[in-house]
């Protein structure tokens, strides 16, 4: 098996165990294997993605200090070698972490960074454009900026195109239901909630 195929398998498994399994710590194992494989290589592009995936694991495992440390490693390395294919994902994960901690202003500055690197984004799994505007929408929702949240959710729809992956879809349906509920459009909120429940079941999304 070529190195690229092995990296692809490790990457897929690290994502699978975050979202589609109760054994989230298995994600750490596969992300760590990817780091160990890529660290000695002269080409550091795969190492940057491996840092991003490990940061994602630490975020979902609520190990926020470790998440920030390794995500910033990925950001720094990206800047050192002028390689930005995974920069949006790195900044996005930092932003999601700060949003979760109710530090909305800090989160928004990282979201704006993530947005600025979208033109380079080549994540092999996530629809980063859709997921970035999902993250903008929840930031606006929790900050009481409902019109801006609506605009961001419209952008999510736009960027779905033919690439609707489980994380972006589940987030979009959940945040849209929340927005509809705030607007007192209760029947629509209910329909989006039901669609969200179906999507979570279909996608086997444990998060």
């Amino acid at each position: 098996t070529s190195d690229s195929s092995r990296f692809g398998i490790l990457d897929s498994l690290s994502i699978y165990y975050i979202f589609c399994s109760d054994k989230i710590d298995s994600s750490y194992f596969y992300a760590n294997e990817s780091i160990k494989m890529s660290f000695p290589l002269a080409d550091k592009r795969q190492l940057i993605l491996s840092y991003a995936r490990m940061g994602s694991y630490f975020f979902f495992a609520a190990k926020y200090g470790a998440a920030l440390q390794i995500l910033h490693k990925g950001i720094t390395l990206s800047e050192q070698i002028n390689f930005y294919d995974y920069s949006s994902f790195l900044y996005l994960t930092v932003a999601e972490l700060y949003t979760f901690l109710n530090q909305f202003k800090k989160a928004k500055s990282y979201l704006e960074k993530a947005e600025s690197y979208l033109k380079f984004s080549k994540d092999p799994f996530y629809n980063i454009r859709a997921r970035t505007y999902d993250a903008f929408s929840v930031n606006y929702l929790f900050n009481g900026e409902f019109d801006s949240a609506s605009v961001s959710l419209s952008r999510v729809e736009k960027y779905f195109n033919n690439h609707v992956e489980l994380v972006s879809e589940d987030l979009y349906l959940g945040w849209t239901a929340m927005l509809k509920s705030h607007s007192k459009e209760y029947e629509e909120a209910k329909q989006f909630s039901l669609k969200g429940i179906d999507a979570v079941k279909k996608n086997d999304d444990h998060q």
Side-chain angles (χ1 to χ4, degrees), residues 6 8 28 31 40 46 48 89 115 133 155 167 171 174 191 207:
R6 290 170 70 191
Y28 172 88
Q46 182 60 45
I48 292 167
F89 181 68
E115 185 179 37
Y133 290 108
R155 292 181 119 178
V167 183
L171 290 171
Q191 293 306 315
Q207 292 298 338

Side-chain angles (χ1 to χ4, degrees), residues 169-181:
E169 180 184 27
D170 295 350
L171 290 171
Y172 166 76
L173 293 168
W175 303 142
T176 302
M178 186 183 290
L179 180 64
K180 295 291 184 185
S181 180

Side-chain angles (χ1 to χ4, degrees), residues 152-182:
S152 289
L153 287 166
S154 297
R155 292 181 119 178
V156 175
E157 279 189 87
K158 173 187 169 184
Y159 286 119
F160 273 155
N161 296 326
N162 295 318
H163 183 195
V164 182
E165 39 83 7
L166 68 93
V167 183
S168 298
E169 180 184 27
D170 295 350
L171 290 171
Y172 166 76
L173 293 168
W175 303 142
T176 302
M178 186 183 290
L179 180 64
K180 295 291 184 185
S181 180
H182 169 78

Side-chain angles (χ1 to χ4, degrees), residues 31-43:
N32 195 48
E33 285 298 302
S34 187
I35 289 171
K36 287 194 292 186
M37 270 183 62
S38 54
F39 193 83
L41 302 178
D43 184 343

Side-chain angles (χ1 to χ4, degrees), residues 16-32:
Y16 171 83
Y17 279 105
I18 286 178
F19 292 106
C20 302
S21 168
D22 293 324
K23 299 175 181 176
I24 189 174
D25 286 341
S26 294
S27 176
Y28 172 88
F29 172 80
Y30 290 111
N32 195 48

